[in-house]
Amino acid sequence: MNGRLLEVNNLQTHFFVRRGIVKAVDGVSFKIDKGKVLGLVGESGCGKSVTAMSILRLIPSPPGKIVGGEILFRSEDESGNEEEIDLLKLSLIEIRKFRGKRISVVLQDPMTSLNPVFTIGNQVGEPFRLHEKLSGPALLKKIIEVLKRVRIPNPDVRIADYPHQFSGGMRQRVSTAMGISCNPQLLIADEPTTALDVTIQAQLLKLFEQVQQESNMAIILITHNLGIVARLCDRVCVMYAGRIVEDGSVRRIFKEPAHPYTRALMESVPRLGKKKRLFSIEGQPPNLLFLPTGCSFWPRCSFADEKCKQEYPPITSIEGDDYVRCWQYSGGTVS
Amino acid sequence: MTAMSSNTNETSLSAGTQTRKAHQLLTFIRRGPTIPALIIITVILCAIFAPYLAPHDPQKIDPKARLTPPAWSEGGSGKYLLGTDSTGRDLLSRIIYGARVSLIVAVIGISISATLGTILGLTSGFFGGITDMFIMRIVDVMMSLPVLFLALAFASVIPSGMYIIILIVAFFGWSHYTRITRGEVLSLKERDFVALARVAQASQKRIMLKHILPNPTNTLTVLVTLDVGGVIMFEAAFSFIGFGVQPPTPSWGNILSEGQNYLTTAWWIATFPGLALMAMVFSCNFIGDWLRDALDPKLRQL
C-alpha cells in the first residue's frame, strides 16, 4: 500500500527585489503519494520552478527567501521506521543528506546541466562519490549500472566521453542518470523535455515511465505540455500567479476541468482534425510585483464579477481530494 | 580533479578506449606547433645548463678582441661565434646566460601573479556581494596605475636587481587574472551543473575548486603563455633603461641596452639578443594559441 511521501502546506517563497516583494510562490499546498507522478503545470513565471527549488532548498538567497509554510517529507530512517521531517526546519548541513539521495532533480537544459570539462562518467559518479563514499571499481560499476538504466548504449565506452560528444537527448539521459543515481524516493523533473525535439521527447518520456516503474519513485513533473501530463501523471496541480488554482486527478481534469483557467488551458491545446481557430487566453499573466486584488485570474477570466475582484477565492473541495479555487464553486455568486 | 579523473580513467577504460586515448594524445602532440615548441625547449635548456653550454665565461673581458664581428662575417673569429661586445665579452655566452634571467622572472613572477589573481577572481565571482565589490575595486585601482612609472619609482627606492622585477610583475600582474576568472565564474555559477553539484552534496569548497575552477583553466593557461612573452619583454625593457638586472650580469634587456650605442658600428650586439627575445615571445604566443584549442574538450576529440 502506498502512503504519503510529501506534503507541502502553505508554502510561501518570496523574492525581495529593489522594486518590492515578488511573491513567486504564495501559499502553495499539495501532496504526493509514494510512487505517484504529480504534474505541475502553468504558464511561464507562475512559480512552478520556484516551488520545486523550494522543496530542494535551492532558492538563491538573497534575494529569495522561503517565508512560510512547511514541507513534510516522510521517509524511512536506517532502522526502517517511518519518520516525517519538515524540510524547511532542517539546517543547510542536514538538508544535504536528503538532497540527491532521497530527493533528486533533473533540470531543463541538458546543455548547462553538465559540466563541459569533465567526462560524463566523472559527473555521474559525483553523487556516488559524495553520498555513498564510493571509489575505484565499485564506483565504476555503479556508474555503468546507472547509465544502463537510462539506456545509454555502450556505457563502458561512453563513460570516458565529454558532454559535447553526446546529442541533446543523450545528454538529458545522462542528466537523468545523475538524478536517479542514488535511487531517490522523489525525483523533481523541471521541464525535462522542453529543450528537446518531439521524437526525443517521446523517447525520454518512455524512459521516465520505465525508470519510474522499475524503482517506484515518486516524480514531480514540471511542464507546460499537457500532453506529457496526460501520459505520465496521476495527479495535476494547475498553478497560476504563485498559487495552485486547481488540484485534481488527471482523468477528472482532462474530462471536466473546473477552474476557468484550466478550462482555457485545455481549449488551447491543438487537436488533430479540428478545423477551428485555436483558442488562446486573452491578456498576459500578471506581473507578480503588482498582483490584481482578489482572484489573480479575474482580468483574463470571462466569468469574473465583482466578488472576484475583491477577494481571493477559498479552497473548495469538489471530488475526493480534488479542489479548486474559484468563486464559481464556493458561494456560487457567479453564474 | 586530476585525482578524480585519473581514478576513473585507470579503472574504467577497456583496452579499446585506452588505445583511443593514446591515439588522441598522439594527434594532439602532432598538431602542436613544432618550431615554437623547439625554440622554447632550447631556451629552457639554455637557462638550466648555461654553465655547460656557454663557450666562455659571460663576464670575462678580452680587451684584444673588442667588437669582434660574428664568425661568418669579415674579421670574425671562430672563437667568438656571435662576436663580442665593447669589452670583448662573448655575445653567445651572454645571451645563453641572459635566458636565465628572463625565464626566472617570467616563471616566478607569473606563478605568483596568476595564482593570486585566480584565487581572488574565484572568490570574488563565487561569493559576490561585498567581497566582490571590494576585490573588484582594488582591481580597478591596480589597472589604472601606470605600471612602468610606478615600477621606476619602486626601483629607485629599493636597490635594483632581478628580484625587484619579479616583485613588480607579481604586484602588477594579478589584476587581469582576477577580472577574467571572475567574469567566467559569474556565468558558470549560475549554470545548472552547479545546482546539481549542490544536490549531489558537494560542499562550497568542492563546488568552487572541483566544479567551477577547471572551466576557466584553459583561458587562464592561454593568458599565462601570453603573459610570459609580455613579462620577458617587460624585463628587457626595464633592464634596457638601466633598472632591473644590473651589468655585468647579462640579461637580454641590458645586452640590448649596451648594444644600442654601437648600432652603426657593431650591429650584432643588439641584433642577437633582440632576435632571441623576439623568437621567445613569438613562440610563447604560438604555444598559447595552440593550448587554447588543445585544452578545449570540444576540440580535443577531432
Side-chain angles (χ1 to χ4, degrees):
Chain A
M1 177 63 201
N2 282 330
R4 172 115 331 129
L5 179 66
L6 181 85
E7 193 171 336
V8 176
N9 285 326
N10 198 28
L11 178 71
Q12 289 169 304
T13 305
H14 296 177
F15 288 84
F16 298 86
V17 295
R18 206 170 290 170
R19 289 166 62 204
I21 302 170
V22 177
K23 296 180 178 173
V25 173
D26 194 18
V28 160
S29 308
F30 61 85
K31 306 174 186 100
I32 177 166
D33 288 341
K34 280 176 190 157
K36 295 284 184 194
V37 183
L38 174 82
L40 212 54
V41 295
E43 280 165 301
S44 305
C46 71
K48 306 183 297 273
S49 296
V50 177
T51 307
M53 291 299 132
S54 301
I55 297 172
L56 287 163
R57 295 272 301 273
L58 280 177
I59 297 290
S61 168
K65 193 165 184 253
I66 300 172
V67 291
E70 49 182 10
I71 297 172
L72 300 173
F73 185 74
R74 191 172 296 171
S75 69
E76 282 165 25
D77 59 11
E78 282 79 18
S79 50
N81 295 325
E82 288 232 324
E83 48 177 357
E84 198 168 60
I85 295 150
D86 187 351
L87 297 182
L88 294 182
K89 290 214 178 77
L90 295 178
S91 71
L92 283 173
I93 308 284
E94 289 170 315
I95 190 82
R96 285 215 212 130
K97 279 187 252 161
F98 284 84
R99 274 202 307 234
K101 198 160 189 183
R102 291 179 189 170
I103 306 176
S104 191
V105 66
V106 177
L107 295 170
Q108 176 177 356
D109 190 355
M111 303 293 169
T112 69
S113 54
L114 297 175
N115 196 332
V117 296
F118 296 122
T119 61
I120 59 132
N122 205 332
Q123 299 186 50
V124 173
E126 189 78 347
F128 292 126
R129 225 175 269 127
L130 295 170
H131 280 291
E132 298 179 10
K133 310 269 183 273
L134 291 176
S135 63
L139 173 69
L140 188 73
K141 214 179 120 222
K142 280 276 195 184
I143 296 172
I144 292 177
E145 206 170 273
V146 77
L147 289 179
K148 263 188 197 139
R149 271 177 74 193
V150 294
R151 276 90 180 159
I152 286 176
N154 306 327
D156 46 335
V157 179
R158 298 292 274 173
I159 202 169
D161 283 346
Y162 287 87
H164 68 272
Q165 288 162 302
F166 285 78
S167 66
M170 279 297 162
R171 262 187 250 189
Q172 193 61 302
R173 277 169 197 257
V174 174
S175 230
T176 312
M178 288 171 75
I180 64 170
S181 52
C182 289
N183 276 323
Q185 289 164 290
L186 176 64
L187 180 71
I188 297 175
D190 190 352
E191 308 201 25
T193 58
T194 310
L196 308 171
D197 62 62
V198 249
T199 46
I200 308 296
Q201 275 191 17
Q203 288 175 13
L204 209 79
L205 288 178
K206 194 166 178 202
L207 174 73
F208 264 89
E209 255 172 3
Q210 287 167 337
V211 168
Q212 196 251 344
Q213 277 156 18
E214 280 166 13
S215 54
N216 197 34
M217 69 176 105
I219 300 180
I220 295 181
L221 184 71
I222 298 174
T223 177
H224 32 231
N225 187 335
L226 289 169
I228 294 175
V229 171
R231 169 152 177 195
L232 277 183
C233 299
D234 301 299
R235 288 188 75 79
V236 199
C237 290
V238 182
M239 283 191 77
Y240 188 79
R243 288 188 169 108
I244 290 177
V245 293
E246 184 168 358
D247 179 346
S249 66
V250 168
R251 188 179 287 267
R252 207 264 305 145
I253 282 200
F254 275 84
K255 215 169 97 200
E256 38 192 63
H259 196 281
Y261 178 61
T262 320
R263 263 182 266 166
L265 278 183
M266 297 295 165
E267 292 279 316
S268 317
V269 179
R271 291 210 166 82
L272 284 177
K274 255 194 179 177
K275 285 193 179 160
K276 232 172 66 183
R277 211 181 148 76
L278 189 63
F279 178 81
S280 72
I281 307 175
E282 296 282 312
Q284 278 165 2
N287 183 340
L288 291 172
L289 269 173
F290 309 104
L291 278 180
T293 52
C295 173
S296 36
F297 188 58
W298 77 257
R300 305 169 77 183
C301 180
S302 44
F303 306 98
D305 72 353
E306 277 312 306
K307 190 157 191 182
C308 299
K309 296 177 188 175
Q310 280 153 13
E311 226 181 308
Y312 200 89
I315 289 175
T316 315
S317 294
I318 35 179
E319 210 184 281
D321 282 339
D322 297 9
Y323 72 81
V324 64
R325 300 190 85 165
C326 179
W327 285 115
Q328 270 185 304
Y329 297 85
S330 52
T333 49
V334 194
S335 53
Chain B
M1 196 44 103
T2 42
M4 273 167 77
S5 40
S6 64
N7 207 343
T8 17
N9 286 350
E10 275 160 35
T11 44
S12 72
L13 304 178
S14 54
T17 339
Q18 218 126 41
T19 8
R20 202 175 62 167
K21 284 265 150 172
H23 179 73
Q24 275 177 4
L25 191 73
L26 266 177
T27 2
F28 169 74
I29 293 169
R30 211 179 300 136
R31 288 192 181 188
T34 328
I35 296 170
L38 284 178
I39 291 175
I40 289 183
I41 292 170
T42 314
V43 173
I44 293 174
L45 288 179
C46 281
I48 296 171
F49 299 110
Y52 305 102
L53 290 174
H56 301 277
D57 180 345
Q59 300 185 11
K60 203 181 132 227
I61 296 169
D62 184 355
K64 271 185 246 163
R66 289 178 65 232
L67 301 176
T68 312
W72 59 87
S73 61
E74 204 182 316
S77 123
K79 198 179 168 198
Y80 301 114
L81 209 56
L82 294 181
T84 60
D85 67 4
S86 58
T87 51
R89 292 174 295 192
D90 177 39
L91 201 55
L92 178 63
S93 308
R94 287 181 72 73
I95 291 174
I96 290 175
Y97 270 89
R100 281 192 156 178
V101 173
S102 301
L103 278 188
I104 290 174
V105 168
V107 169
I108 301 182
I110 292 174
S111 320
I112 299 174
S113 64
T115 314
L116 185 72
T118 309
I119 293 172
L120 285 173
L122 191 61
T123 323
S124 184
F126 192 76
F127 291 110
I130 294 174
T131 326
D132 183 34
M133 213 174 75
F134 185 70
I135 294 174
M136 289 326 284
R137 288 304 79 75
I138 298 177
V139 168
D140 289 343
V141 170
M142 292 306 295
M143 287 198 147
S144 62
L145 293 175
V147 178
L148 197 63
F149 185 74
L150 270 172
L152 290 180
F154 262 138
S156 57
V157 181
I158 316 166
S160 47
M162 194 166 68
Y163 66 93
I164 186 88
I165 305 182
I166 295 176
L167 212 72
I168 290 168
V169 166
F171 186 74
F172 288 99
W174 60 269
S175 52
H176 56 276
Y177 290 97
T178 307
R179 254 205 195 156
I180 285 180
T181 314
R182 173 195 179 252
E184 290 219 11
V185 171
L186 275 187
S187 98
L188 286 165
K189 73 168 179 179
E190 299 300 330
R191 303 261 195 103
D192 286 346
F193 64 77
V194 173
L196 289 178
R198 228 163 242 154
V199 168
Q201 212 191 4
S203 61
Q204 295 272 75
K205 197 175 121 208
R206 192 182 175 93
I207 290 174
M208 268 171 88
L209 297 179
K210 302 221 158 153
H211 292 263
I212 292 183
L213 185 61
N215 281 287
T217 37
N218 59 352
T219 319
L220 291 173
T221 317
V222 177
L223 208 61
V224 164
T225 48
L226 295 180
D227 235 17
V228 170
V231 166
I232 290 175
M233 290 283 268
F234 177 78
E235 180 275 320
F238 211 59
S239 301
F240 179 81
I241 52 177
F243 296 89
V245 181
Q246 293 301 306
T249 310
S251 99
W252 293 349
N254 65 27
I255 305 172
L256 264 175
S257 166
E258 285 165 22
Q260 68 160 337
N261 300 324
Y262 299 92
L263 268 182
T264 45
T265 51
W267 55 271
W268 56 89
I269 304 180
T271 306
F272 293 115
L275 279 177
L277 190 62
M278 201 187 81
M280 183 66 189
V281 173
F282 171 82
S283 307
C284 285
N285 290 358
F286 247 80
I287 291 284
D289 237 21
W290 168 70
L291 271 180
R292 186 192 52 218
D293 295 346
L295 288 175
D296 189 347
K298 282 187 190 161
L299 298 167
R300 204 185 291 165
Q301 60 168 334
L302 303 170

